[in-house]
Amino acid sequence: MNLNVRYLEEFVTLTEKKNFLEAAECLFISQSCLSKHIKKLETEIGVELFERTTRTVVLTEFGQMLLPYARKMVGLEYEFEKNVRRKIHQDSGNIVLGSIPSMKQHAITALIAGFLNENPDMTLQTIEGDSTFVKELLTDGKCDIAFLRSESSSVKEFNSIPYMIDYLTAVLPATHPLAKADNLPFEQLRGETFLLFPEHSFINDLCIRECRNAGFEPHIAYTGNRGATLIDLVRNGAGITLMMHHSARQENDSSLAFIPVTPGIYSYISLNYAKEKPLSPQAESFVRYVKAHKRDF
């Protein structure tokens, strides 16, 4: 037999969707094209793989026999292609770095600049996003290494190098009744209008959790990705925001007050990489550079 792996992939998709139209849409091909490919696969094997008497796709005994082998073959081809792409990527001297957005505030851009100055033959591509998004990139192998924010100094899913510690700060207008406080217990924020980072982001989840621990549900009037926008909204009287100190302190504005919340809520920024996959020589050199230049904890 000379089995076409693309046809096997379509066969697997069809068994999962149980419908020719849905499977074809998932595969971005026409229903008639999918039907022809399945027929060619059956002709090559010499048996029928699906019963054609029902509207819903039903595997024959031979189809059930083929399914686990088809999944393995499709998976092996995917792994091979991924490893080839990784090898090409490694040989190119390119590093893909995932990172939380506040790179300047946490001196990550300065770190990258220092590394590139010492390694002019290497290139570095950065993908920014919230820690939840970047963690998915690293898990899926779409970046080599990643700066993540978490509530502990290491992220259990990955090998972690602690880099920096940060703490949560409330940003209020300087005219706010609480603006002169040295610190702010969450209980005192009851009744405030909150301007926060997007839903399910690390800081958004943390803020909502702490408000609920203090016995109230926060009124969230606005969510957005950019810290500068949140602070500008505070400046214009739209409410208050909560963000990490290193991000907030970039704003040197007498019209604003920056007050730590209590009890102290800390986050840790660490450089992470997969436990089960070896690093490319280029990514490994960046890891060594970070170890030599990480901030004091």
Side-chain angles (χ1 to χ4, degrees), residues 262-273:
T262 56
I265 297 172
Y266 299 93
S267 74
Y268 299 83
I269 296 171
S270 58
L271 182 66
N272 298 267
Y273 55 96

Side-chain angles (χ1 to χ4, degrees), residues 81-91 141 277-278:
E81 290 180 350
K82 185 170 69 174
N83 287 329
V84 168
R85 287 195 300 270
R86 183 181 295 120
K87 176 62 177 171
I88 294 171
H89 162 69
Q90 289 175 358
D91 291 344
K277 297 176 184 175

Side-chain angles (χ1 to χ4, degrees), residues 15 37 79 103 111 120 122 169 196 211 277:
T15 61
H37 291 174
E79 285 298 316
M103 293 175 64
L111 197 69
M122 295 188 191
T169 296
L196 297 179
C211 288
K277 297 176 184 175

Side-chain angles (χ1 to χ4, degrees), residues 100-102 105-106 129-133 148-151 166-171 186 189 194-212 218 220 222-228 230-231 240-249 261 265-269:
I100 55 176
S102 49
Q105 295 90 328
H106 296 95
D130 179 78
S131 284
T132 303
F133 168 74
L148 298 172
R149 186 190 297 280
S150 65
E151 292 186 74
D166 209 345
Y167 59 89
L168 194 65
T169 296
V171 184
F186 261 88
L189 300 179
F194 287 86
L195 317 164
L196 297 179
F197 287 101
E199 185 179 1
H200 301 312
S201 66
F202 173 83
I203 295 180
N204 183 293
D205 288 348
L206 187 155
C207 294
I208 292 174
R209 184 191 71 198
E210 293 302 320
C211 288
R212 288 171 177 170
I220 303 171
Y222 175 89
T223 58
N225 281 305
R226 297 181 61 83
L230 296 177
I231 287 179
I240 70 169
T241 191
L242 296 166
M243 62 177 58
M244 290 298 163
H245 169 70
H246 281 91
S247 297
R249 72 174 184 175
V261 298
I265 297 172
Y266 299 93
S267 74
Y268 299 83
I269 296 171

Side-chain angles (χ1 to χ4, degrees), residues 78-141:
Y78 171 77
E79 285 298 316
F80 172 71
E81 290 180 350
K82 185 170 69 174
N83 287 329
V84 168
R85 287 195 300 270
R86 183 181 295 120
K87 176 62 177 171
I88 294 171
H89 162 69
Q90 289 175 358
D91 291 344
S92 70
N94 185 55
I95 303 167
V96 180
L97 171 69
S99 180
I100 55 176
S102 49
M103 293 175 64
K104 176 185 175 183
Q105 295 90 328
H106 296 95
I108 294 173
T109 47
L111 197 69
I112 291 171
F115 174 77
L116 291 176
N117 286 333
E118 288 191 14
N119 300 272
D121 57 325
M122 295 188 191
T123 60
L124 194 148
Q125 174 193 352
T126 301
I127 306 173
E128 294 183 55
D130 179 78
S131 284
T132 303
F133 168 74
V134 175
K135 187 183 292 187
E136 291 177 0
L137 292 179
L138 190 55
T139 300
D140 294 342

